[in-house]
Short mmCIF file of all heavy atoms in Angstrom, two decimals:
data_model
loop_
_atom_site.label_atom_id
_atom_site.label_comp_id
_atom_site.label_asym_id
_atom_site.label_seq_id
_atom_site.Cartn_x
_atom_site.Cartn_y
_atom_site.Cartn_z
N ASN A 760 175.45 134.62 110.15
CA ASN A 760 175.66 135.96 110.70
C ASN A 760 175.51 136.03 112.19
O ASN A 760 176.26 136.75 112.85
CB ASN A 760 174.70 136.95 110.09
CG ASN A 760 174.90 137.09 108.55
OD1 ASN A 760 175.89 136.54 108.06
ND2 ASN A 760 174.02 137.74 107.83
N SER A 761 174.52 135.38 112.70
CA SER A 761 174.21 135.52 114.16
C SER A 761 174.98 134.54 115.00
O SER A 761 175.87 135.00 115.78
CB SER A 761 172.75 135.49 114.40
OG SER A 761 172.06 136.57 113.83
N PHE A 762 174.63 133.28 114.82
CA PHE A 762 175.31 132.37 115.76
C PHE A 762 176.72 131.97 115.32
O PHE A 762 177.62 132.02 116.23
CB PHE A 762 174.46 131.09 115.86
CG PHE A 762 174.97 130.04 116.85
CD1 PHE A 762 175.01 130.30 118.17
CD2 PHE A 762 175.55 128.82 116.37
CE1 PHE A 762 175.56 129.44 119.05
CE2 PHE A 762 176.10 127.96 117.27
CZ PHE A 762 176.11 128.22 118.65
N GLY A 763 176.92 131.68 114.09
CA GLY A 763 178.20 131.31 113.65
C GLY A 763 179.24 132.43 113.91
O GLY A 763 180.34 132.15 114.40
N ASN A 764 178.84 133.63 113.58
CA ASN A 764 179.74 134.76 113.72
C ASN A 764 179.99 135.00 115.21
O ASN A 764 181.14 135.38 115.63
CB ASN A 764 179.13 135.95 113.11
CG ASN A 764 180.04 137.17 113.07
OD1 ASN A 764 179.73 138.21 113.52
ND2 ASN A 764 181.27 136.96 112.66
N LEU A 765 178.96 134.81 116.10
CA LEU A 765 179.19 135.02 117.52
C LEU A 765 180.25 134.05 118.02
O LEU A 765 181.17 134.42 118.72
CB LEU A 765 177.88 134.69 118.25
CG LEU A 765 177.93 134.57 119.75
CD1 LEU A 765 178.19 135.89 120.38
CD2 LEU A 765 176.61 133.98 120.31
N ALA A 766 180.16 132.82 117.60
CA ALA A 766 181.17 131.79 118.00
C ALA A 766 182.50 132.15 117.48
O ALA A 766 183.51 132.14 118.20
CB ALA A 766 180.71 130.37 117.58
N GLN A 767 182.53 132.51 116.24
CA GLN A 767 183.79 132.83 115.59
C GLN A 767 184.55 134.00 116.23
O GLN A 767 185.73 134.03 116.50
CB GLN A 767 183.58 133.07 114.14
CG GLN A 767 184.85 133.20 113.29
CD GLN A 767 185.51 131.89 113.13
OE1 GLN A 767 185.10 130.83 113.49
NE2 GLN A 767 186.79 131.98 112.59
N ARG A 768 183.79 135.09 116.46
CA ARG A 768 184.38 136.30 117.03
C ARG A 768 184.86 136.06 118.47
O ARG A 768 185.88 136.52 118.86
CB ARG A 768 183.38 137.49 116.92
CG ARG A 768 182.17 137.40 117.82
CD ARG A 768 181.03 138.32 117.40
NE ARG A 768 181.40 139.71 117.34
CZ ARG A 768 180.48 140.70 117.59
NH1 ARG A 768 179.19 140.40 117.81
NH2 ARG A 768 180.87 141.94 117.52
N THR A 769 184.11 135.22 119.23
CA THR A 769 184.45 135.02 120.59
C THR A 769 185.71 134.09 120.69
O THR A 769 186.60 134.34 121.38
CB THR A 769 183.30 134.31 121.30
OG1 THR A 769 182.09 135.16 121.27
CG2 THR A 769 183.60 134.08 122.83
N LEU A 770 185.59 133.01 119.92
CA LEU A 770 186.70 132.07 119.94
C LEU A 770 188.00 132.69 119.42
O LEU A 770 189.12 132.39 119.89
CB LEU A 770 186.38 130.75 119.18
CG LEU A 770 185.22 129.94 119.82
CD1 LEU A 770 185.01 128.63 119.07
CD2 LEU A 770 185.44 129.66 121.27
N SER A 771 187.81 133.52 118.38
CA SER A 771 189.01 134.23 117.85
C SER A 771 189.67 135.11 118.88
O SER A 771 190.89 135.17 119.00
CB SER A 771 188.66 135.08 116.67
OG SER A 771 188.34 134.24 115.57
N LEU A 772 188.82 135.83 119.67
CA LEU A 772 189.38 136.67 120.69
C LEU A 772 190.11 135.87 121.78
O LEU A 772 191.16 136.30 122.27
CB LEU A 772 188.23 137.46 121.32
CG LEU A 772 187.71 138.67 120.47
CD1 LEU A 772 186.37 139.21 121.05
CD2 LEU A 772 188.69 139.81 120.41
N ILE A 773 189.59 134.76 122.09
CA ILE A 773 190.22 133.88 123.13
C ILE A 773 191.50 133.32 122.52
O ILE A 773 192.56 133.36 123.18
CB ILE A 773 189.30 132.75 123.53
CG1 ILE A 773 188.11 133.31 124.32
CG2 ILE A 773 190.07 131.72 124.36
CD1 ILE A 773 187.03 132.31 124.66
N PHE A 774 191.44 132.95 121.29
CA PHE A 774 192.63 132.38 120.67
C PHE A 774 193.78 133.35 120.60
O PHE A 774 194.99 133.05 120.89
CB PHE A 774 192.27 131.87 119.27
CG PHE A 774 193.42 131.29 118.47
CD1 PHE A 774 193.91 130.05 118.83
CD2 PHE A 774 194.03 131.97 117.47
CE1 PHE A 774 195.05 129.51 118.12
CE2 PHE A 774 195.10 131.46 116.70
CZ PHE A 774 195.58 130.20 117.09
N LYS A 775 193.42 134.58 120.18
CA LYS A 775 194.47 135.61 120.01
C LYS A 775 194.95 136.24 121.34
O LYS A 775 196.15 136.52 121.45
CB LYS A 775 193.89 136.74 119.07
CG LYS A 775 193.81 136.28 117.70
CD LYS A 775 193.34 137.40 116.81
CE LYS A 775 193.06 136.95 115.39
NZ LYS A 775 192.32 138.00 114.70
N ASN A 776 193.95 136.47 122.27
CA ASN A 776 194.29 137.27 123.42
C ASN A 776 194.60 136.39 124.66
O ASN A 776 195.13 136.92 125.65
CB ASN A 776 193.19 138.22 123.73
CG ASN A 776 192.98 139.16 122.60
OD1 ASN A 776 193.93 139.57 121.90
ND2 ASN A 776 191.70 139.50 122.30
N CYS A 777 194.27 135.12 124.62
CA CYS A 777 194.54 134.32 125.80
C CYS A 777 195.37 133.08 125.41
O CYS A 777 195.42 132.12 126.12
CB CYS A 777 193.21 133.84 126.34
SG CYS A 777 192.00 135.12 126.63
N GLU A 778 195.98 133.15 124.29
CA GLU A 778 196.78 132.08 123.77
C GLU A 778 196.01 130.78 123.70
O GLU A 778 196.53 129.64 123.80
CB GLU A 778 198.03 131.88 124.64
CG GLU A 778 199.01 133.09 124.63
CD GLU A 778 200.05 132.96 125.70
OE1 GLU A 778 200.21 131.86 126.21
OE2 GLU A 778 200.64 133.97 126.00
N GLY A 779 194.70 130.90 123.51
CA GLY A 779 193.82 129.74 123.36
C GLY A 779 193.44 129.09 124.66
O GLY A 779 192.60 128.16 124.72
N TYR A 780 194.01 129.60 125.82
CA TYR A 780 193.56 129.03 127.09
C TYR A 780 192.28 129.72 127.55
O TYR A 780 192.01 130.90 127.23
CB TYR A 780 194.65 129.30 128.20
CG TYR A 780 195.86 128.43 127.95
CD1 TYR A 780 197.04 129.08 127.55
CD2 TYR A 780 195.89 127.06 128.15
CE1 TYR A 780 198.18 128.32 127.25
CE2 TYR A 780 196.98 126.28 127.95
CZ TYR A 780 198.18 126.94 127.41
OH TYR A 780 199.25 126.18 127.16
N LEU A 781 191.44 128.89 128.17
CA LEU A 781 190.15 129.48 128.53
C LEU A 781 190.35 130.50 129.65
O LEU A 781 190.98 130.26 130.63
CB LEU A 781 189.18 128.38 129.04
CG LEU A 781 188.98 127.23 128.04
CD1 LEU A 781 187.68 126.46 128.40
CD2 LEU A 781 188.76 127.86 126.64
N PRO A 782 189.81 131.73 129.37
CA PRO A 782 190.06 132.81 130.36
C PRO A 782 189.37 132.60 131.70
O PRO A 782 188.38 131.88 131.82
CB PRO A 782 189.38 134.05 129.66
CG PRO A 782 188.37 133.43 128.68
CD PRO A 782 189.03 132.16 128.28
N ALA A 783 190.00 133.18 132.66
CA ALA A 783 189.57 133.00 134.09
C ALA A 783 188.38 133.97 134.35
O ALA A 783 188.32 135.07 133.73
CB ALA A 783 190.63 133.29 135.01
N ILE A 784 187.52 133.61 135.30
CA ILE A 784 186.41 134.44 135.68
C ILE A 784 186.86 135.13 136.95
O ILE A 784 187.14 134.51 137.94
CB ILE A 784 185.16 133.65 135.89
CG1 ILE A 784 184.71 132.93 134.61
CG2 ILE A 784 184.02 134.48 136.44
CD1 ILE A 784 183.62 131.92 134.80
N ARG A 785 186.84 136.50 136.89
CA ARG A 785 187.25 137.22 138.08
C ARG A 785 186.07 138.08 138.59
O ARG A 785 186.20 139.31 138.53
CB ARG A 785 188.45 138.03 137.81
CG ARG A 785 189.72 137.27 137.39
CD ARG A 785 190.90 138.17 137.32
NE ARG A 785 192.10 137.35 137.01
CZ ARG A 785 192.41 136.98 135.73
NH1 ARG A 785 191.58 137.27 134.75
NH2 ARG A 785 193.52 136.27 135.56
N GLY A 786 185.05 137.43 138.98
CA GLY A 786 183.88 138.28 139.48
C GLY A 786 183.03 138.75 138.46
O GLY A 786 183.48 139.46 137.51
N HIS A 787 181.78 138.34 138.43
CA HIS A 787 180.83 138.73 137.33
C HIS A 787 180.20 140.10 137.63
O HIS A 787 179.95 140.45 138.78
CB HIS A 787 179.74 137.67 137.29
CG HIS A 787 180.12 136.46 136.51
ND1 HIS A 787 180.57 136.50 135.24
CD2 HIS A 787 180.09 135.16 136.90
CE1 HIS A 787 180.86 135.28 134.84
NE2 HIS A 787 180.59 134.40 135.86
N HIS A 788 179.99 140.88 136.63
CA HIS A 788 179.21 142.07 136.69
C HIS A 788 177.74 141.73 136.46
O HIS A 788 177.44 140.65 136.02
CB HIS A 788 179.69 143.06 135.64
CG HIS A 788 180.96 143.69 135.85
ND1 HIS A 788 181.41 144.80 135.17
CD2 HIS A 788 182.00 143.37 136.71
CE1 HIS A 788 182.60 145.15 135.54
NE2 HIS A 788 183.01 144.27 136.51
N ASP A 789 176.90 142.76 136.74
CA ASP A 789 175.45 142.50 136.51
C ASP A 789 175.15 142.12 135.11
O ASP A 789 174.29 141.23 134.85
CB ASP A 789 174.66 143.77 136.89
CG ASP A 789 174.62 144.01 138.42
OD1 ASP A 789 175.05 143.04 139.14
OD2 ASP A 789 174.18 145.07 138.89
N ASP A 790 175.84 142.75 134.18
CA ASP A 790 175.60 142.37 132.76
C ASP A 790 175.81 140.91 132.50
O ASP A 790 175.16 140.28 131.71
CB ASP A 790 176.51 143.24 131.89
CG ASP A 790 176.04 144.71 131.80
OD1 ASP A 790 174.99 145.04 132.35
OD2 ASP A 790 176.82 145.54 131.20
N ASP A 791 176.94 140.41 133.10
CA ASP A 791 177.28 138.99 132.90
C ASP A 791 176.16 138.11 133.46
O ASP A 791 175.74 137.18 132.79
CB ASP A 791 178.59 138.65 133.56
CG ASP A 791 179.67 139.74 133.26
OD1 ASP A 791 179.55 140.45 132.33
OD2 ASP A 791 180.62 139.73 134.06
N ILE A 792 175.83 138.41 134.70
CA ILE A 792 174.74 137.66 135.33
C ILE A 792 173.47 137.64 134.55
O ILE A 792 172.84 136.65 134.32
CB ILE A 792 174.42 138.19 136.76
CG1 ILE A 792 175.71 138.28 137.58
CG2 ILE A 792 173.38 137.32 137.45
CD1 ILE A 792 176.30 137.00 138.08
N ALA A 793 173.13 138.82 133.98
CA ALA A 793 171.89 138.94 133.24
C ALA A 793 171.96 138.04 132.04
O ALA A 793 170.99 137.32 131.66
CB ALA A 793 171.70 140.39 132.85
#
Side-chain angles (χ1 to χ4, degrees):
Chain A
N760 298 351
S761 293
F762 183 67
N764 187 232
L765 169 69
Q767 188 69 10
R768 68 200 300 209
T769 302
L770 296 184
S771 288
L772 284 165
I773 292 173
F774 178 73
K775 288 182 185 167
N776 301 322
C777 309
E778 294 169 18
Y780 291 108
L781 303 197
I784 298 171
R785 297 188 178 80
H787 281 304
H788 287 194
D789 287 350
D790 286 353
D791 312 342
I792 304 289

